[in-house]
Amino acid sequence: MKLSRPVSWFLLAFGVWSWFIWVTFVKNLWNDASGLAFDAAGDPTAYFWVHLLLAVTSFLLGTAVGAVGLRGLRALRREKNPTPATSPAPPGPTP
């Protein structure tokens, strides 16, 4: 399957956005003082574990989606500028 340039950029941007958003969320979760993420004894609550699991899942999916976008952009670049090893040999006399 061949991805277009806009789709590849969208997928890469989605992966970066996912990392940005969820890293910020995990920082806020870790520093939570409202009592949702940690109980009075300082132990993590179910809220903390569920949201940490959501964040890790989103990290993994964001990484996978971003990697697909990056691979799409690299393939388009190789197609536009083929290296000498992958370009066909110029026509010439046969030995």
Side-chain angles (χ1 to χ4, degrees):
M1 182 165 130
K2 185 176 176 181
L3 298 175
S4 67
R5 187 171 309 280
V7 169
S8 296
W9 275 110
F10 174 78
L11 293 175
L12 181 60
F14 180 84
V16 170
W17 176 255
S18 180
W19 268 88
F20 175 75
I21 289 300
W22 285 100
V23 164
T24 303
F25 181 81
V26 168
K27 284 180 184 178
N28 292 337
L29 183 66
W30 193 263
N31 295 326
D32 179 54
S34 70
L36 285 174
F38 298 98
D39 61 14
D43 296 326
T45 62
Y47 177 89
F48 175 83
W49 292 114
V50 166
H51 286 82
L52 186 63
L53 179 63
L54 286 171
V56 169
T57 302
S58 293
F59 289 145
L60 295 173
L61 291 174
T63 301
V65 168
V68 169
L70 184 61
R71 289 183 67 182
L73 289 172
R74 286 182 176 172
L76 287 168
R77 184 181 303 155
R78 279 193 307 268
E79 184 180 284
K80 185 178 177 183
N81 301 319
T83 60
T86 59
S87 62
T94 55

